[in-house]
Amino acid sequence: MILRYLTILFVFISISSALAESEFEDPQARREWIESTYQNANVEMPNDFKISQQKFSNSLPNSSEGLFTKGSQIQSQTWMSAGPSNIGGRSRAVEFDKTNPNIIITGGVSGGIWRSVDGGASWVQTTGIHEIASVTAIIQDPRPNKNNNWYCAGGEIGSNSASMSHSASYAGNGIYQSTDNGLTWQPYGDTGDNQPQVREFIDNVNRLAIDPTNLEEDIIYVACLGTILRISDDGNNIEKALDLEELTFYNMATDILITPTGKYYATLSYHSRYSNRTTSHSGIFYSENGTNWEDISPEFLQPSYRIVLDYAPSNENILYFLISNIKELSTDCADYPQCNSICKLEIEGKDFKWTNLSDNLPFFESKNEYNYLITHNDYCSAIKVAPNNPDIVLLAGANCFISYDGFSSTERTQWIAGYNPNWDSNSYADTTKTLQEIYQGMLNSMFPTGGWDFHWFDYNPNNPKEVLSASDHGIHKLSDISETADKNWIDLNNGYCTTQFFDCAINKHVAGSNDIIGGMQDNSTMGNIIDNNTFIDYYSGDGMQCYITGSNSIIVSSQFGNILRLNLNNGVPYNGAFLFPNNINALSPQFRTIFSINSINEKEIAIPTNSAICICNNLTKAMADITFDIHLIDNLDATSVEYANVPEKVLYVGTKNKRIFKVTDFSKDNFSYDIINLPDFVTGNYIPDLWIDPQDNMHFIAIISNYLSLGMLETKDGGETWTDNGGNLEENPDGTGAGHSFRCYERMVYEGDTLHLLGTSDGLFSTKKLEGANTIWMREGANTIGKAVIEDIEVRELDGRIVVATHGNGLFKTNYSTSVEDFDGSNLGFAVSEVFPNPASQQINFVLNSDVNAFVEAKLLDIQGKEVANILSEEFTGTKRLSYNASNLTAGTYFLHISDGTHFVTKKVNIVR
């Protein structure tokens, strides 16, 4: 949470949720929630489920982006990105181009590959929306005349909230290759084929390495799930490079490195915090040919969750290893909540000299518990040696440190990013302070910029003082790492739309309003209430459910039940209140915070937990005067909640055990409810979303998110009878097969027209009519939203506004229309649709919208950045539909660059012949 804009004004904006470490981020709790949400305990997942799902998904019909047919069953909407453009999502890999450092290639863990040609000032997503959603490792071929070749792979072993389960995880799809310097990407050989015995490993990749000494054959090494793989024969030969007995355990962390002269180093973890399995085959290994390995682990090496390593480019015989130890199994672990080690290896001929530097790990005087190296066991660990000095070492977990003497002492180590040591975390627990005082005390909880929870670094090949970081907060650059230089990180998240949303909210009270807020994994709750294109922080932790009221206030939340009301003045908070009762822990809050505001009476909020339903009727009062009625319910296990008011007020609470609670009496002493059981034909049990008909609360829809289950259930009689409307999104009538995981539903009624919208694990779908098993769903935004996971849908029937929240590519918005002539782009801000068709052979088209009068230029550039055509150069306000005759262009990749002097948007265009 970094105050990036108008810092002086936003005294109250940046805040941390609680003292517990999990309030900032808790990867383990996140994963447990993932498992309960999407894994179907009643049906066994096949090994090739993801392959089958992809094939099935590709067979579904698309609505053509930007093309409208009046009167047809489905009219595709013109979807445009709604940001946030100033913050990136979790990123585990970033690389400078070795031949041109203005080119940077990076990727989001669920957001695809992105490329910049101007040093991070702007970005283009170069993977197709159907390709490489997960990116965790990137490498450029270092060999002469091979630098145009890049490789990437994906699949987080843990902590990705877009995941579902071990056997159907939001993983990678083998290795992808680019032969045109990152412009386009293709599957590499058989690495993405249906080979369960290999895919088990290669779909969860930590790092890639290329043998730099073999100038004839491309040999790629993959540090992945449980092993080190060797890939040759253009990706068609896949074998274990480090084939040790028992080396098949799920979630074993690995790393791989090959020096310029062909020395191989690999690491294998002893244990995973995601399973109870351990192995004796762990440690640090060395090879001179990539096939025969020697265990060179030092005697002082302790059992670890993960070991990451780097060598000194100025002297490849010097290496550093950062080890995340298992405290319970370590004999010399420091007395920290988590313990880590660092060691140095110096090689002289055949002699391996180890030095244990762990006593010199950073530990600073601090007012909070983040005053040392925290790696969350195996979640965030990074180490990088400066290219020109083996004693300059970057070391990072949640925070980032730099040593100028190779950690041979503590005197020359600096804390340069992450949580601010001057932030007093105890201020949160001080009940004598007002909310304003707490905000003021936490204003400096973070460094001015630079992110936190780091995963990777890369140095500028032409400037050893400049380094890039990839973290949970996107991409940043430090221009000068010198010991005496100010450590001023530069934010490079300029249109790098890879944020992972859990929820979003729009202002439903005012037609034409652009107000949007949303809760994101790792990136708190942010919104654009002040400026259409700049999102600012409103809360902390993993952002969860949120709401915009009709009285200049917002409700925001983070994991484990932290909920806050902020009163706004022109988008700036000036006071507010923590809403959840003080005995929160006794109520067993779940990881996913949920609540519902009564739309008829916005003073009333319902907050269900695992063991209670809490009702507040005075949430607009001062913090000291807010009261809750707490109604304990054993094994409630709430997962969703929704108020309804017609014909009378009721509250529906979905659960993770196939039950819906219907509250009909809200009185403190006579609180009562009925239980509605889902029908027996449903095998899933988790209900992430409920929709209640605003005209009849006996008519509602319950969404089931578990795979291999029917999941779009509708009742018109209060739950007596049910119909499943999954239609063509289900492969088999009983819900088995390669169907989707459903996440959310919303209905838009606008100008006499009705559109049903369904968010899934594989994109957004719409239909004009629910017809049970005969329902035909069509993909929305095939060339914009693509197959991104959809976590929330918000509609405003006053003016037809629709906003969807994706878990990987930010927010998308449109104004509902039934024909291209009727499309109204007003209040969409400065926005550009995707180019259609793309690829194209004759004509390219796009829609441009500007809410303010501005001079706008739209130019078509070739891959070298040379202008090919000036498509638009004029001052205008409103919506323009633009076309360009591309029939005379040679086949290849081009870029459409649109700017009004303040906003810069670039779209990739492929011309085919």
Side-chain angles (χ1 to χ4, degrees), residues 355-534:
T355 304
N356 190 346
L357 303 172
S358 302
D359 288 342
N360 298 323
L361 280 171
F363 188 93
F364 287 76
E365 291 297 324
S366 174
K367 297 180 179 179
N368 59 68
E369 66 274 28
Y370 279 70
N371 56 343
Y372 58 96
L373 180 68
I374 296 176
T375 60
H376 296 301
N377 297 329
D378 63 357
Y379 173 62
C380 51
S381 299
I383 190 167
K384 194 69 174 178
V385 186
N388 61 338
N389 189 335
D391 290 331
I392 300 178
V393 183
L394 282 164
L395 188 71
N399 296 321
C400 181
F401 305 90
I402 188 168
S403 171
Y404 295 95
D405 60 5
F407 290 101
S408 61
S409 72
T410 59
E411 284 74 18
R412 296 183 65 192
T413 298
Q414 296 180 13
W415 184 342
I416 62 172
Y419 296 94
N420 194 327
N422 294 320
W423 165 56
D424 184 3
S425 58
N426 291 322
S427 64
Y428 186 91
D430 189 346
T431 58
T432 66
K433 293 182 179 294
T434 65
L435 181 68
Q436 293 94 323
E437 289 172 330
I438 294 172
Y439 268 122
Q440 183 67 48
M442 292 184 173
L443 180 62
N444 294 320
S445 60
M446 300 297 160
F447 276 85
T449 187
W452 66 100
D453 287 6
F454 294 88
H455 303 287
W456 194 255
F457 299 101
D458 191 46
Y459 279 93
N460 186 329
N462 293 347
N463 179 4
K465 292 183 179 181
E466 185 173 279
V467 67
L468 294 173
S469 72
S471 73
D472 279 2
H473 309 278
I475 307 302
H476 295 81
K477 180 175 70 176
L478 187 59
S479 297
D480 191 349
I481 65 164
S482 301
E483 190 167 8
T484 57
D486 292 333
K487 304 303 186 293
N488 296 320
W489 292 85
I490 300 170
D491 193 323
L492 299 185
N493 298 299
N494 308 300
Y496 175 56
C497 293
T498 54
T499 43
Q500 299 170 296
F501 277 86
F502 288 136
D503 189 81
C504 69
I506 62 176
N507 188 335
K508 297 187 177 183
H509 304 272
V510 180
S513 171
N514 281 310
D515 295 351
I516 303 175
I517 58 175
M520 296 171 283
Q521 181 172 336
D522 307 312
N523 283 300
S524 71
T525 298
M526 300 183 70
N528 69 340
I529 293 177
I530 297 174
D531 180 271
N532 289 345
N533 296 282
T534 300

Side-chain angles (χ1 to χ4, degrees), residues 83-100:
S85 61
N86 60 309
I87 185 169
R90 189 164 70 256
S91 303
R92 286 185 172 268
V94 63
E95 295 286 333
F96 280 110
D97 184 338
K98 300 178 188 303
T99 61
N100 180 3

Side-chain angles (χ1 to χ4, degrees), residues 599-862:
S599 60
I600 302 299
N601 173 19
E602 291 189 333
K603 296 180 180 180
E604 183 175 347
I605 186 173
I607 307 171
T609 72
N610 286 327
S611 62
I613 297 176
C614 308
I615 306 291
C616 172
N617 296 300
N618 57 359
L619 66 85
T620 60
K621 289 190 175 183
M623 186 159 53
D625 298 323
I626 291 177
T627 59
F628 275 85
D629 293 333
I630 299 174
H631 309 280
L632 299 177
I633 302 174
D634 290 339
N635 301 315
L636 175 62
D637 295 330
T639 57
S640 54
V641 58
E642 194 69 35
Y643 269 107
N645 290 284
V646 177
E648 70 280 334
K649 183 177 75 172
V650 298
L651 182 74
Y652 286 98
V653 179
T655 70
K656 60 181 177 183
N657 48 34
K658 277 183 78 169
R659 299 187 299 173
I660 298 173
F661 286 73
K662 180 181 180 180
V663 180
T664 54
D665 189 339
F666 292 81
S667 60
K668 182 176 182 179
D669 298 326
N670 297 312
F671 185 83
S672 61
Y673 54 83
D674 297 317
I675 296 178
I676 302 170
N677 292 303
L678 295 184
D680 292 338
F681 62 75
V682 176
T683 60
N685 62 305
Y686 196 100
I687 306 172
D689 194 27
L690 292 167
W691 175 85
I692 317 298
D693 190 330
Q695 307 302 320
D696 178 9
N697 62 34
M698 296 291 282
H699 174 209
F700 57 90
I701 288 174
I703 298 298
I704 307 296
S705 58
N706 308 92
Y707 282 87
L708 306 176
S709 172
L710 296 173
M712 205 287 180
L713 304 177
E714 180 181 24
T715 179
K716 296 182 178 180
D717 54 16
E720 293 293 327
T721 59
W722 294 89
T723 300
D724 181 79
N725 294 302
N728 62 320
L729 296 184
E730 301 287 5
E731 185 178 33
N732 299 322
D734 63 353
T736 59
H740 296 59
S741 163
F742 300 149
R743 307 298 175 93
C744 51
Y745 166 82
E746 190 56 86
R747 186 185 75 178
M748 165 66 82
V749 178
Y750 183 61
E751 295 185 347
D753 203 37
T754 299
L755 186 70
H756 302 272
L757 296 159
L758 184 62
T760 78
S761 59
D762 200 61
L764 179 70
F765 291 83
S766 66
T767 186
K768 286 294 187 71
K769 190 175 183 179
L770 299 179
E771 298 182 284
N774 296 320
T775 303
I776 301 299
W777 295 94
M778 297 186 72
R779 185 181 298 281
E780 280 285 337
N783 295 313
T784 47
I785 301 169
K787 295 185 178 182
V789 177
I790 308 299
E791 292 288 3
D792 193 22
I793 306 167
E794 294 293 316
V795 303
R796 183 170 61 223
E797 296 184 344
L798 293 173
D799 58 1
R801 173 62 57 86
I802 308 173
V803 173
V804 297
T806 76
H807 197 86
N809 289 124
L811 301 167
F812 289 87
K813 61 187 176 183
T814 190
N815 286 351
Y816 182 55
S817 58
T818 56
S819 73
V820 68
E821 290 81 12
D822 295 337
F823 176 74
D824 178 16
S826 62
N827 299 304
L828 283 178
F830 184 85
V832 184
S833 74
E834 290 301 307
V835 178
F836 58 92
N838 192 7
S841 60
Q842 298 297 318
Q843 180 171 288
I844 59 173
N845 311 277
F846 61 98
V847 179
L848 171 64
N849 189 83
S850 179
D851 281 358
V852 298
N853 192 43
F855 185 82
V856 180
E857 290 186 310
K859 297 180 179 180
L860 193 65
L861 312 176
D862 63 17

